[in-house]
Amino acid sequence: MLAHLPILQVILPLMAAPSCLLIRKATLVWLFTLAVSIAALVVSVLLLQQVYATGPITYELGGWKAPWGIEYRIDLLNAWVLFIVTALSSVVLSAAHTSVQKELEPTKQTVFYALYLLCFAGLLGIVATGDAFNVFVFLEISSLSTYALIALGKDRRALWAAFQYLIMGTIGATFILIGIGFLYMMTGTLNMADLAARIPPLSESTTVLAAFAFIFVGICLKLALFPLHLWLPNAYSCAPSIVTAFLAATATKVALYLLLRFTFTVFGVDFSLSHLPLDSVLIGLGLVGVFAASIVAIYQANIKRMLAFSSVAQIGYMVVGIGIGTATALQATLLHLFNHALMKGGLFLALAGLVYQIGGCRIEHFRGLGRTMPWTMAAIVVGGISLIGMPLTVGFVSKWYLIAAAIEQQFWGVAVLVILGSLLAVAYIWKLVEAAYFQAPQTDTGAAAKREAPLGILLPAWLLIAANIYFGIDTRLPVEVSAAASQFLLGGSAQ
C-alpha cells in the first residue's frame, strides 16, 4: 500500500466525487466527503514523512517508464503543498455541513460535495503529477468545478463572478497549454524531469522563450498576481462561504507551487532568474500588488471582498520572495504559503459564522459584534493580527524571513516596502475592530446576532486561528521543511 501512496493521493477524491451523487442524505454525503479528505490528509502526511526521510518518490502509472509513461514524482516541495491542501481542506470541510445547510438549497447540497471533491482532486493532481500535460488536465478539472462552486452562491452576482473567472481562467489555461505545446515541439517530451534536462541546451531558442512567457503569464492569471487578479475579488465575495474559505486556503497556493515548479525545476534557476530579468519583474509586480491591493482593501465595505484584496497583497509578498531567489527568500515564500493558508482559512471560516447568524458580512454587520458574538470576533481579530504580521503569530515569522532575505541581498528598499505594506493591513483590520468594539450594534443586525456562531463553524475556525499562534511560537515544522524545500529548489539536497 505504501508504494501506491502517490496515486492514492489523487485517486481517492477523484473516484469519490461521482460516488457522492449516489448518496441522497446531506449529512451522509458530508460525512463521506470529510472522510475522503481526512484519508487524503493521512496519505499526504505519510508522503511528507517518507520524502523527508529518504528523498523523492517516483510512481509510474501503468508500469510505463518515464518519459514514455506518466510519472508522479513527490519531492519535498510538492509533499509540503499536498500536506497544506489536504489539511486545510479537512478543517474547512468539518465546518461545511453547518454552513452549507444554511446557504444552499437541499437539492444543491449533494452536487456541492461532488464538485468540491472534483476541485480537491484537481488541485492534488496538479501538485502530484510529474507530467506537464497532466498539469493542464488537472488544472481544467479543478477550474471547471470551481466555476460551478462559485455559481452556487445565493447572490445573483455569483453567476457573473463565475463567468468572469471562467473567461480569465480559460485564457490562463490556454496560455499554459500553448507553452507546454511549444516545449513538446522543441524537446519531444512532457515529463518535467526530462524537460529540465533537455531545456538548458535550448535556452537561446525563441520558441523556448515564448513557451516560458506563455506558461508564466498563464500561471500568474491563476495565481491572481497583480494586475491579473481581477477575477479573484468577485469570486471570493460571491461564492458560498465554505467555497471562499477553501479557495483562499488552497487554490492560490497550488498556483504558486506551479510558478515555483516551472521556474526553478523545469526551466531552471539560471534560465529564469539569470538569463531573463524575471527577478526584477517579480519583485516589482509583487510590491506594487502589495500596496495597490492593500489600499483598495481599506475602502471595501464587503469584508469578504476586503480579505480577497488582502489575498492579492499577500500573494505579492510570496512573489517577492521568488524574485529575490535566495535560499532564505524561497524559505520565506514557502513559509508564507503555509502561514497564509492558516490565516485566510481561519478568517473566512469566522466570516462563515457571521454569515450564518446575520446573513451578510458587510462592515455595518460588525457594529457591536465584540459584545454580541465575542468568540467569532476574537477569531477575526487574532487572524487579522496574524495577517498584519505581529510577533507570536505565523504572519510575523514569514515576513521576518522575507525582510531578512532582502537585507542579505542589500535590497534595503524592498525590506522597507515590505514593512510599510504590512502597516497598511493595520488600516483595514482596524476598521473591523473599531466597528466591533467601539460602535453600538444596529437594531436590525443586533437582534440577529444575539448568539454566537454555531460550534460546527466556530470550532474549525478557532482550530486554524489557534494554529496561527502555535506555529508562530513553535516554528520547527514549517521552518525545517521550508528550509529543506528551498535548498532542493536551488539544486541542493532534498533531505
Side-chain angles (χ1 to χ4, degrees):
M1 181 65 75
L2 290 177
H4 298 288
L5 288 178
I7 191 63
L8 278 175
Q9 183 78 98
V10 180
I11 207 71
L12 280 173
L14 192 62
M15 296 297 292
S19 303
C20 288
L21 301 176
L22 303 176
I23 306 172
R24 300 292 183 181
K25 194 171 177 59
T27 303
L28 292 179
V29 73
W30 165 66
L31 288 172
F32 174 72
T33 306
L34 179 60
V36 170
S37 184
I38 292 172
L41 172 59
V42 172
V43 171
S44 71
V45 170
L46 293 173
L47 283 172
L48 182 59
Q49 288 177 335
Q50 190 172 343
V51 169
Y52 195 79
T54 63
I57 304 167
T58 57
Y59 184 88
E60 297 162 353
L61 271 69
W64 289 81
K65 289 189 177 295
W68 301 105
I70 294 173
E71 177 187 61
Y72 281 19
R73 183 176 177 84
I74 310 298
D75 53 39
L76 263 180
L77 175 62
N78 53 0
W80 180 233
V81 178
L82 287 171
F83 168 70
I84 293 169
V85 172
T86 54
L88 269 294
S89 170
S90 299
V91 177
V92 169
L93 269 176
S94 65
H97 182 56
T98 307
S99 180
V100 166
Q101 276 193 322
K102 183 77 171 185
E103 295 189 38
L104 295 184
E105 300 171 9
T107 54
K108 295 180 179 178
Q109 290 176 20
T110 298
V111 175
F112 167 83
Y113 289 111
L115 290 170
Y116 183 102
L117 283 175
L118 273 179
C119 182
F120 184 46
L123 293 175
L124 295 178
I126 291 169
V127 178
T129 187
D131 183 270
F133 185 73
N134 244 218
V135 167
F136 170 75
V137 171
F138 282 117
L139 186 66
E140 286 299 279
I141 291 173
S142 65
S143 296
L144 291 171
S145 50
T146 300
Y147 308 147
L149 285 170
I150 293 169
L152 289 175
K154 278 186 176 181
D155 194 326
R156 290 181 63 185
R157 289 173 297 181
L159 288 173
W160 169 245
F163 179 73
Q164 185 184 40
Y165 186 19
L166 184 151
I167 297 300
M168 295 193 71
T170 301
I171 293 171
T174 303
F175 272 43
I176 292 171
L177 183 60
I178 291 171
I180 291 170
F182 281 167
L183 288 180
Y184 183 71
M185 182 174 70
M186 292 301 296
T187 64
T189 185
L190 292 170
N191 181 270
M192 290 185 184
D194 210 27
L195 282 169
R198 298 190 188 196
I199 285 175
L202 304 170
S203 59
E204 298 298 327
S205 166
T206 54
T207 306
V208 172
L209 289 170
F212 182 85
F214 273 109
I215 291 171
F216 176 75
V217 174
I219 291 173
C220 288
L221 265 166
K222 290 292 184 179
L223 179 59
L225 175 65
F226 180 91
L228 305 174
H229 67 285
L230 299 179
W231 61 268
L232 187 142
N234 289 333
Y236 281 18
S237 58
C238 297
S241 298
I242 289 299
V243 175
T244 304
F246 176 63
L247 294 179
T250 61
T252 52
K253 314 303 174 291
V254 170
L256 188 83
Y257 158 80
L258 274 184
L259 184 60
L260 288 165
R261 176 63 71 194
F262 276 95
T263 301
F264 287 91
T265 62
V266 175
F267 286 94
V269 64
D270 290 334
F271 177 89
S272 302
L273 300 182
S274 299
H275 188 66
L276 298 175
L278 191 64
D279 51 351
S280 301
V281 172
L282 290 174
I283 292 172
L285 289 178
L287 289 174
V288 172
V290 167
F291 281 88
S294 296
I295 290 169
V296 174
I298 294 170
Y299 295 98
Q300 297 302 309
N302 184 307
I303 306 308
K304 272 190 180 182
R305 193 173 179 83
M306 182 194 82
L307 291 179
F309 278 106
S310 168
S311 288
V312 176
Q314 301 301 313
I315 289 166
Y317 290 118
M318 291 183 257
V319 167
V320 168
I322 299 175
I324 295 173
T326 63
T328 305
L330 290 177
Q331 184 180 6
T333 294
L334 293 172
L335 277 171
H336 206 56
L337 188 149
F338 172 68
N339 296 342
H340 184 249
L342 296 179
M343 297 176 208
K344 284 298 166 61
L347 282 166
F348 278 116
L349 283 182
L351 285 182
L354 182 64
V355 172
Y356 183 95
Q357 289 290 23
I358 298 177
C361 59
R362 296 181 63 82
I363 189 64
E364 56 265 24
H365 296 136
F366 278 77
R367 294 174 184 169
L369 199 66
R371 295 186 289 277
T372 56
M373 300 177 71
W375 284 100
T376 302
M377 191 59 214
I380 293 171
V381 170
V382 176
I385 289 172
S386 185
L387 195 63
I388 293 166
M390 295 290 286
L392 303 182
T393 66
V394 292
F396 173 78
V397 177
S398 43
K399 289 182 181 179
W400 176 269
Y401 274 84
L402 183 58
I403 293 167
I407 292 173
E408 279 179 6
Q409 298 301 108
Q410 304 296 309
F411 294 162
W412 296 100
V414 173
V416 170
L417 290 174
V418 168
I419 295 170
L420 292 177
S422 298
L423 293 177
L424 284 175
V426 177
Y428 55 80
I429 295 300
W430 175 253
K431 281 174 52 179
L432 305 183
V433 174
E434 182 182 23
Y437 294 103
F438 298 100
Q439 295 180 10
Q442 284 188 326
T443 54
D444 54 340
T445 60
K450 287 180 179 177
R451 294 176 298 171
E452 275 289 357
L455 285 177
I457 297 175
L458 199 57
L459 289 178
W462 265 104
L463 178 61
L464 292 179
I465 295 300
N468 275 264
I469 303 298
Y470 175 79
F471 288 110
I473 298 170
D474 183 359
T475 62
R476 287 173 296 177
L477 172 65
V479 166
E480 289 176 8
V481 175
S482 60
S486 66
Q487 291 293 336
F488 169 76
L489 282 173
L490 293 173
S493 173
Q495 301 304 314

